[in-house]
Amino acid sequence: YLEFTSKLAGVPYASEAKFYPTADELGAAKARLCDGLNVVWALAGSSCHKFYPGQDTVMARILLEHPNCRIFMVGDEACQILEAGWEKEERVVCLSGKINIRDTLPLAKLADVVIGCETGVLNAVAFEDNRKVVLLSHSSHENLTKHWKNSISLAPEGLSCYPCHRLHYTREFCNEDKETGAAMCQKLIPPADVYAAVDYMEATV
């Protein structure tokens, strides 16, 4: 995508896209962090296929294996439904609909790991040093994360409709997992693989 954009603009491609927070925004984000593993989970994107039904399983494993951690769940107000059940866990911070995008991005910039589907939050930290765990849906690694720094891209195996290269706003052309309501491309990414990507990051720090 970025190579194509650069070509359209008539400029050489370079991996230079970054978000630049103000000092106040950066300070506010730092104040939220713990002294252990900090994870930002971007809960959903702009289309119906951009949420991960294995989220709770992965989060529970992170909390079990890394007692000194903090998981920040971020998104818009609609994402609050994906936060349900975590309100009483002190190491999980439910921020969906409570902070705006300019407060979210500095947090993602400072986190050890950022997890999510193909969202603006993940794109904003593409060339930062921290670990990105990207749950691909309509795009391939070649499309989106080819040049990204320190990222692990996970995609479904054996799914004929992946990658579909389309943004879905209805289920008309998107195969749905009836049990979870998620897109099959998300359902078929094993939670164990997502956790392994997080755990690999922790082992290499």
Side-chain angles (χ1 to χ4, degrees):
Y1 295 147
L2 293 176
E3 289 176 9
F4 181 68
T5 303
S6 297
K7 186 176 180 180
L8 283 176
V11 297
Y13 171 77
S15 299
E16 297 175 340
K18 286 196 175 187
F19 170 71
Y20 295 92
T22 66
D24 287 346
E25 289 168 342
L26 208 55
K30 285 180 179 177
R32 295 183 184 274
L33 302 178
C34 73
D35 61 0
L37 178 68
N38 290 281
V39 178
V40 166
W41 198 307
L43 295 177
S46 57
S47 304
C48 62
H49 56 288
K50 294 186 181 185
F51 78 90
Y52 181 60
Q55 159 203 306
D56 290 348
T57 300
V58 178
M59 287 177 54
R61 180 77 183 276
I62 293 172
L63 294 168
L64 179 65
E65 300 291 347
H66 302 279
N68 186 18
C69 74
R70 192 165 290 167
I71 302 174
F72 301 91
M73 304 172 81
V74 298
D76 60 15
E77 288 188 9
C79 288
Q80 290 175 358
I81 193 170
L82 298 173
E83 297 179 340
W86 291 106
E87 299 87 351
K88 295 182 180 180
E89 170 54 62
E90 293 182 355
R91 292 171 294 165
V92 175
V93 184
C94 300
L95 294 175
S96 295
K98 297 175 182 175
I99 61 174
N100 63 33
I101 190 65
R102 286 207 63 97
D103 292 326
T104 298
L105 296 186
L107 194 58
K109 188 181 180 79
L110 295 175
D112 300 298
V113 190
V114 184
I115 308 172
C117 303
E118 301 175 46
T119 68
V121 175
L122 273 293
N123 278 274
V125 294
F127 305 116
E128 301 292 345
D129 291 331
N130 57 359
R131 171 74 58 185
K132 277 71 66 178
V133 180
V134 189
L135 310 172
L136 294 173
S137 55
H138 65 287
S139 302
S140 68
H141 169 66
E142 176 71 20
N143 294 146
L144 183 67
T145 54
K146 176 182 177 181
H147 298 292
W148 286 24
K149 191 173 183 180
N150 198 20
S151 66
I152 294 178
S153 299
L154 301 175
E157 294 185 7
L159 185 63
S160 61
C161 60
Y162 170 82
C164 63
H165 300 124
R166 46 191 316 169
L167 291 173
H168 298 277
Y169 299 105
T170 71
R171 291 296 184 186
E172 183 179 2
F173 301 110
C174 183
N175 290 321
E176 180 183 4
D177 174 52
K178 299 302 182 183
E179 180 182 358
T180 63
M184 285 302 298
C185 58
Q186 294 298 287
K187 171 65 175 178
L188 294 179
I189 298 175
D193 289 357
V194 181
Y195 175 75
V198 174
D199 197 52
Y200 171 78
M201 177 273 160
E202 178 73 358
T204 58
V205 168

